[in-house]
């Protein structure tokens, strides 16, 4: 199911490419400079005022997985710091190279200063990775006397709970956020949310913890231990048939040891529960406070935006302050005046000059004798054209993997032409290049149209959500400069908006 | 089927369930994360906690789907072992079930994997397997080894009893040749990194790491190898554009003004191609079969899903046995 390259298949997609086609092929009308037509219905999200506002104390980046949440959080941190704020970025699970770009080589649960930040404006950037077990341990150590803390930390049930069962990461991320905020050491805390199954777990986690701790069952579990009973089997005496059956069942199912561990754990945690619950509630309220700004991060793809819409609704329902939507990896073109349709037509024009039979993905020589399947290694473009050597040498070879049988690369063409002595060789070469550029452009324009449709669907449903679009970088992000570039693109929404409406 | 968020693992899992149902077979597609991604994909109502036919594949196969709910699975479990009946509902009111699935370590994951394994082993009256294959849309790559390995931990915690035995049986099945773990990725740095890490973690825990599926592979453009050599030939390209009817080639002419932006796009594309080449090399260094699925340019809808299933059949099922029993 590759994207069809055949012209027949294009029709559907280019229909809403808003290109004023002048019709006259050879007029030098200025319409070729029609800008990228990002006519935004949505209000532009103003990143710099948000970051500069001294009352903004927390920025939460949330969204589904794989949309660049962590990168956005890091870029915001760099920008805020270089604009003069003492900033800390709390990341949950950064990609290794992104972490390295911020000088985070280890997971030690303490903010570390990020080197290489321009501190001229008086700000600085610190970053930390969440270590959930450590965070959990610290809570236990803070809230229990040493003996009790030791008992909890050594409890096997606690050990599995604290190292990665559902929800723990979310609890601990919010706990850490609460700690950072309570310390009041930072002007601004930028937090990246965990890659949850629902992406909303971090909102629910504190509440769930609260209601869990308030639950009848846990009180019953604690009751026998409280009165000093042995391992809770007195629950049976409470006369609740279901419950006794259940604990009995659990005992048989899990083995008596586990339930005993749980009860010891619950008993030991008893003194901490109040503190736990208060903290969870406080963190939840903190998220609702005016100093907090939520940014929903998405990519211009259907699923990601569907999730984003769900998020926006959920944040509204929970009265969480939404600052706007960050749309990452949006594509743009400086030649948006040339529609996909016309680009393809022109490419075909060049190809049908008798040079390239596109549908078979092969070069056909009208004049030159058939060269047969020449060895592509020798005639790669590197040897015949003086392009930027760095990439040409790596791109010239015909290194298709055995798995990409779907498409037939055209590397052979260069070899064939190189060996063809006729004078038209150069023209053919150029025609192939020009056609390739045009097809690439057509793909870009179709992508643009698709992204725009997806985005417009979202803005139609949520017209009040301010929007910032960030142009796609060709590669992945792993240094401060790329983070700065992204920060710049995030902040610079006017350029796009104004060129669109001119 | 596992994969980093955003790589399309649910889609690939659904396509595999369709592909494996081909030729009159029956497959079960299991969802464990409560996101109702399968229902969205098949454009149906949210799935209940019961096995329900959601699609008919080419060749008259049937795809069933099940969204496993941990609480309900626990009640099933207790029912199975202890015939709890209405006491189960009382427990639910008390919050005991919530307690058990929320806080009891790993119990949730145990229930999810246990339920899937039960479906694998289930047989009809003639002692034939009810499902020819069970495809699980599993948690993301970052959690997969922990998720599948949870039974080991539980077997260690619960040292005796039916749960202990059950956990051990699940681990035996998961580590057996009957289980295949496929990792879905994109040709982007972070998903590839997570895939490499995920494979290492699976191997370290003795779980199978079967193959890598590179999803949403952008189609290769004819001539893309030469794009960089275009950078030096602006005048000629302007003339070619003019020949193709795109305007004037002289300085400031319409065709001429297209050259710079199109070359810039060409350069970006070449950069992308180079990056992807490196990532492919990194993936193939893992020593696992690497399959590629093309990008569905219009996003995934039902027709696209069947197309992916066809693609899987074409390049995967015929090529070996490793995909036959996910």
């Amino acid at each position: 199911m590759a994207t069809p390259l055949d012209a027949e298949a294009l029709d559907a997609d280019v229909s809403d490419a808003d290109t004023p086609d002048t019709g006259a092929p050879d007029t030098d009308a200025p319409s070729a400079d029609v800008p990228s037509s990002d006519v935004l219905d949505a209000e532009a999200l103003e990143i710099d005022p948000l970051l500069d506002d001294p009352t903004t104390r927390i920025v939460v980046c949330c969204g589904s997985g794989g949309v660049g949440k962590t990168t956005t959080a890091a870029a915001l941190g760099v920008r805020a710091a270089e604009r003069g704020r003492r900033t800390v970025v709390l990341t949950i699970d950064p990609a290794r190279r992104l972490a390295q770009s911020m000088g985070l080589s280890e997971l030690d649960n303490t903010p570390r200063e990020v080197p290489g930040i321009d501190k001229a404006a008086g700000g600085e950037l610190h970053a930390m990775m969440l270590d959930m077990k450590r965070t959990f341990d610290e809570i236990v150590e803070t809230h229990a006397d040493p003996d009790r803390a030791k008992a909890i930390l050594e409890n096997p049930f606690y050990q599995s709970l604290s190292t990665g069962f559902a929800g723990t990461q979310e609890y601990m991320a919010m706990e850490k956020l609460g700690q950072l905020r309570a310390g009041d050491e930072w002007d601004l805390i930028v937090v990246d949310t965990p890659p949850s199954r629902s992406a909303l777990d971090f909102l629910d986690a504190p509440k769930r913890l609260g209601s869990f701790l308030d639950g009848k069952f846990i009180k019953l579990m604690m009751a026998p231990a409280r009165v000093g009973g042995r391992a809770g089997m007195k629950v049976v005496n409470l006369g609740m048939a279901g419950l006794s059956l259940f604990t009995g069942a659990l005992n048989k199912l899990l083995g008596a040891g586990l339930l005993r561990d749980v009860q010891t754990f619950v008993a030991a945690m008893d003194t901490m529960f109040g503190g736990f619950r208060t903290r969870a509630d406080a963190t939840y309220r903190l998220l609702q406070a005016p100093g907090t700004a939520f940014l929903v991060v998405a990519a211009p793809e259907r699923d990601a935006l569907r999730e984003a819409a769900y998020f926006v609704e959920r944040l509204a329902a929970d009265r969480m302050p939404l600052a706007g939507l960050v749309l990452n990896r949006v594509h743009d073109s400086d030649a948006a005046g040339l529609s996909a349709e016309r680009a393809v037509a022109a490419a075909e024009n060049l190809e049908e000059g008798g040079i390239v039979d596109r549908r078979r993905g092969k070069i056909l020589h009208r004049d030159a004798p058939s060269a047969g399947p020449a060895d592509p290694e020798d005639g790669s473009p590197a040897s015949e054209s003086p392009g930027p050597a760095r990439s040409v040498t790596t791109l010239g070879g015909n290194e298709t993997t055995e798995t990409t049988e779907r498409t037939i690369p055209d590397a052979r063409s260069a070899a064939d032409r190189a060996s063809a002595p006729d004078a038209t060789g150069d023209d053919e070469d150029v025609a192939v290049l020009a056609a390739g550029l045009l097809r690439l452009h057509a793909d870009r324009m179709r992508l643009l149209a698709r992204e725009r449709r997806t985005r417009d669907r979202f803005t139609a449903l949520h017209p009040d959500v301010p929007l910032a679009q960030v142009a796609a970088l060709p590669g992945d992000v792993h240094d401060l400069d790329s983070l700065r570039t992204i920060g710049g693109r995030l902040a610079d929404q006017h350029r796009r908006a104004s060129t669109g409406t001119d | 089927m596992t994969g980093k968020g955003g790589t399309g693992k649910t889609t690939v899992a659904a396509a595999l369930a369709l592909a494996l149902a081909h030729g009159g077979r029956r497959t079960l597609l299991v969802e464990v994360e409560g996101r109702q991604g399968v229902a969205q994909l098949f454009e149906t109502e949210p799935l209940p906690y019961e096995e329900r036919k959601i699609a008919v594949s080419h060749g008259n196969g049937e795809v069933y789907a099940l969204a496993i709910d941990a609480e309900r699975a626990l009640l099933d479990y207790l029912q199975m072992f202890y015939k709890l009946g209405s006491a189960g509902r009382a427990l639910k009111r008390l919050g005991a079930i919530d307690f058990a699935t929320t806080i009891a370590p790993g119990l949730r994951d145990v229930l999810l994997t246990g339920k899937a394994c039960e479906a694998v082993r289930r047989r009809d009256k003639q002692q034939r397997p009810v499902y020819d294959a069970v495809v699980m849309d599993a948690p993301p790559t970052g959690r997969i080894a922990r998720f599948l390995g949870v039974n080991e931990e539980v077997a260690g915690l619960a040292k005796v009893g039916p749960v202990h035995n059950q956990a051990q049986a699940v681990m035996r099945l998961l580590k057996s040749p009957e289980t295949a773990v496929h990792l879905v990725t994109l040709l982007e740095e972070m998903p590839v990194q997570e895939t490499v890490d995920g494979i290492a973690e699976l191997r370290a825990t003795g779980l199978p790491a079967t193959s890598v599926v590179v999803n949403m592979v952008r189609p290769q453009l004819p001539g893309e190898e030469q794009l960089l050599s275009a950078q030096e030939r602006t005048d000629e390209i302007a003339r070619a554009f003019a020949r193709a009817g795109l305007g004037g080639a002289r300085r400031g002419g319409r065709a001429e003004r297209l050259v710079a932006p199109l070359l810039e796009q060409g350069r970006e594309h070449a950069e992308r191609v180079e990056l992807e080449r490196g990532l492919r090399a990194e993936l193939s260094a893992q020593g696992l079969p690497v399959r590629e699925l093309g990008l569905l340019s219009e996003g995934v809808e039902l027709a696209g899903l069947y197309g992916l299933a066809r693609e899987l059949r074409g390049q995967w099922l015929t090529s070996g046995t490793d995909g036959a029993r996910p």
Side-chain angles (χ1 to χ4, degrees), chain B residues 118-245:
Chain B
E118 182 272 319
V120 170
R121 291 206 209 92
R122 198 184 311 152
R123 292 180 181 264
D124 63 15
K125 289 195 182 91
Q126 284 78 46
Q127 291 303 307
R128 287 182 311 236
V130 171
Y131 293 108
D132 295 292
V134 175
V135 179
M136 180 190 279
D137 176 15
T141 318
R143 297 207 300 127
I144 188 66
R146 214 158 59 199
F147 173 78
L148 294 177
V150 73
N151 283 282
E152 204 125 73
E153 203 165 332
V154 166
L157 276 174
K159 294 186 178 63
V160 288
V163 165
H164 175 83
N165 298 340
Q166 163 81 5
Q168 283 202 319
V170 168
M171 278 327 286
R172 272 198 303 277
L173 178 63
L174 289 177
K175 289 182 172 179
S176 79
E178 276 194 284
T179 302
V181 179
H182 304 290
L183 300 97
V184 183
T185 184
L186 304 180
L187 282 179
E188 287 169 16
E189 201 169 326
M190 290 190 225
V192 167
Q193 188 56 54
E194 272 202 18
T195 303
V196 170
D197 293 347
I199 292 169
E201 284 171 30
L202 286 168
R203 285 176 172 161
T205 40
L207 288 159
T210 312
S211 85
V212 174
V213 182
V214 182
N215 196 20
M216 301 186 217
V217 176
R218 160 193 75 64
Q220 200 169 7
L221 278 177
E224 73 182 11
E225 281 81 1
Q226 293 122 57
L227 282 175
L228 282 180
S229 69
Q231 305 291 325
E232 303 276 314
R233 308 176 72 172
T234 52
D235 294 348
E236 292 163 85
I237 287 171
R239 283 198 295 277
F241 284 171
R243 263 205 324 277

Side-chain angles (χ1 to χ4, degrees), chain A residues 16-21 31 34 336-340 342 445:
Chain A
D16 66 349
D18 45 351
T19 312
D21 192 336
S31 62
V34 168
L338 178 63
S339 71
R342 287 196 64 208
M445 291 307 292

Side-chain angles (χ1 to χ4, degrees), chain A residues 1-5 13 22 24-33 65-66 71 93 95-97 156-157 160-161 163-166 171 197 208 212 216-218 220-221 240 242-243 245-246 249 252-255 258 262 302 306 329 332-335 338 342 346 349-350 358 381 385-388 390-392 394-397 399-401 403-404 406-407 409-411 413-414 417 426-427 429-434 436-441 443-444 450 453 474-476 478, chain B residues 4-6 32-33 35 40 74 77-78 81-82 84 87 91 93-97 99-100 102-109 112 143 146 150 153 157-164 188-190 193-194 197 217 219-223 225-233 236-237 240-241 243-248 250 252-254 257-258 261-263 265-266 268-275 277 279-280 290-301 304 307-308 310-311 315:
Chain A
M1 287 306 291
T3 310
L5 286 173
D13 220 332
T22 60
D26 210 5
T27 51
D28 287 349
S31 62
D33 278 338
T71 307
D93 190 15
R96 197 171 301 156
R97 291 178 72 176
F157 175 81
S160 7
L161 177 68
T163 50
F165 289 104
Y171 297 145
R197 63 186 77 199
R208 220 167 44 211
F212 167 69
K216 292 178 201 155
F217 185 71
I218 202 146
L220 288 170
M221 287 283 285
M240 307 200 61
L243 185 68
L245 190 54
F246 184 69
K252 284 186 201 149
L253 277 170
L254 304 169
L258 180 60
V262 173
R302 201 180 55 161
R306 187 198 285 134
R329 301 184 198 147
D332 202 354
S333 172
D334 287 334
L338 178 63
R342 287 196 64 208
N349 216 332
L350 287 169
R358 183 59 46 198
S385 68
R390 174 187 60 89
S391 308
V392 167
T394 46
L395 282 170
E399 279 183 27
T400 43
T401 61
T403 51
T404 51
R406 235 169 330 92
T407 50
D410 232 352
S413 59
R417 281 191 309 281
D426 233 30
D427 277 354
D429 227 19
V430 170
V432 171
L433 285 175
L437 290 171
L438 287 165
R439 290 203 178 265
L440 193 59
H441 178 70
D443 276 358
R444 173 72 67 102
R450 208 156 55 231
R453 278 201 301 274
D476 284 324
H478 26 66
Chain B
K4 183 174 160 59
V32 297
E33 293 195 277
R35 285 172 33 192
Q40 279 173 12
L74 178 59
Y77 227 72
L78 295 172
F81 286 115
Y82 291 98
L84 272 187
L91 288 173
R93 274 201 306 280
L94 272 175
I97 303 291
F99 166 80
T102 305
I103 212 89
L107 187 53
R108 186 187 183 85
D109 291 352
L112 299 173
R143 297 207 300 127
R146 214 158 59 199
V150 73
E153 203 165 332
L157 276 174
K159 294 186 178 63
V160 288
V163 165
H164 175 83
E188 287 169 16
E189 201 169 326
M190 290 190 225
Q193 188 56 54
E194 272 202 18
D197 293 347
V217 176
Q220 200 169 7
L221 278 177
E225 281 81 1
Q226 293 122 57
L227 282 175
L228 282 180
S229 69
Q231 305 291 325
E232 303 276 314
R233 308 176 72 172
E236 292 163 85
I237 287 171
F241 284 171
R243 263 205 324 277
L246 291 173
R250 65 181 156 73
R254 265 179 64 205
R257 276 180 295 148
L258 285 172
L262 264 60
L263 281 178
Q265 288 172 192
E268 281 175 20
H269 183 77
E271 213 174 302
R272 184 79 230 158
V273 168
E274 189 181 349
L275 186 74
R277 179 156 297 167
L279 293 171
R280 277 200 174 92
V290 179
R291 273 68 181 241
E292 302 203 355
L293 289 175
L295 179 71
L296 296 173
S297 60
E298 280 305 302
V300 181
E301 27 70 69
L308 282 180
R310 217 165 26 244
E311 206 175 332
Q315 66 165 338

